[in-house]
Amino acid sequence: KKERTLAMIKPDAVPKVGNIIQMIYDANLIVTKAKMTKLTWKQAADFYMEHQSKSFFNNLVQFVSSGPVVAMELMGNEAVTTWRKVLGPTDSGVAQKDAANSLRGQFGTDGTKNAGHGSDSLASAARELEFFFPSTTGHGPSNTA
Ligand code: CMP
């Protein structure tokens, strides 16, 4: 089934964005929107609000707001699970052992500096795509993809 998902390249992996876009197309996904931006602490906290009670929340928010990120809308068959498979295990140490060719296996460092994010469900994808690519009723060159 054709789906859309939100991919976010985290600050540690932004220099690898070329390799990562190649991995996306190799997985039969296409990039339908893309934006480089730097999140404020508050924007990152909003993005990760489902994790606000977790022990790692502050580290996570601090890290993703520490430099630029690249947000992309990906489209393709089973895009949510396909992109998470490209990412590999959340913990980069595990990824390096069990999925060395995955994005986190190649470019991640640990559980926080783990190179990328992918929506975990269609509902999360809808919310996270709206976060980075808000729908508007206006006209003009923005948001026309
Ligand atoms: P991400 O896929 O962006 O969404 C949730 C994030 O929480 C996850 O990537 C990790 O970066 C982070 N995370 C999950 N578990 C831990 C952990 N035990 N320690 C630090 N960060 C974590």
Side-chain angles (χ1 to χ4, degrees):
K1 183 164 56 65
K2 188 172 163 181
E3 295 175 353
R4 301 183 309 152
T5 194
L6 185 278
M8 180 173 68
I9 309 309
K10 297 186 186 181
D12 57 329
V14 167
K16 302 296 183 185
V17 68
N19 308 243
I20 292 167
I21 288 172
Q22 186 66 56
M23 291 170 77
I24 289 167
Y25 282 86
D26 288 348
N28 274 321
L29 298 173
I30 64 171
V31 178
T32 43
K33 295 179 185 175
K35 176 197 283 188
M36 179 180 273
T37 188
K38 189 167 181 292
L39 300 177
T40 64
W41 198 96
K42 189 179 182 311
Q43 286 172 324
D46 283 349
F47 182 78
Y48 280 120
M49 61 189 178
E50 71 197 277
H51 296 299
Q52 63 186 301
S53 64
K54 308 273 176 64
S55 60
F56 56 77
F57 179 74
N58 273 277
N59 277 344
L60 176 62
V61 169
Q62 152 59 29
F63 172 58
V64 299
S65 60
S66 67
V69 299
V70 177
M72 292 180 277
E73 179 187 74
L74 307 184
M75 213 178 274
N77 191 44
E78 312 284 352
V80 170
T81 52
T82 301
W83 171 239
R84 286 175 68 86
K85 193 171 176 193
V86 173
L87 283 168
T90 301
D91 185 326
S92 303
V94 174
Q96 284 158 14
K97 282 191 228 143
D98 297 349
N101 294 328
S102 67
L103 197 155
R104 287 165 173 157
Q106 292 179 260
F107 308 127
T109 304
D110 56 32
T112 300
K113 291 165 119 174
N114 67 349
H117 167 86
S119 309
D120 65 3
S121 66
L122 285 173
S124 297
R127 183 184 80 80
E128 294 174 3
L129 285 166
E130 185 64 24
F131 179 90
F132 279 108
F133 304 105
S135 32
T136 73
T137 52
H139 296 281
S142 58
N143 293 308
T144 51

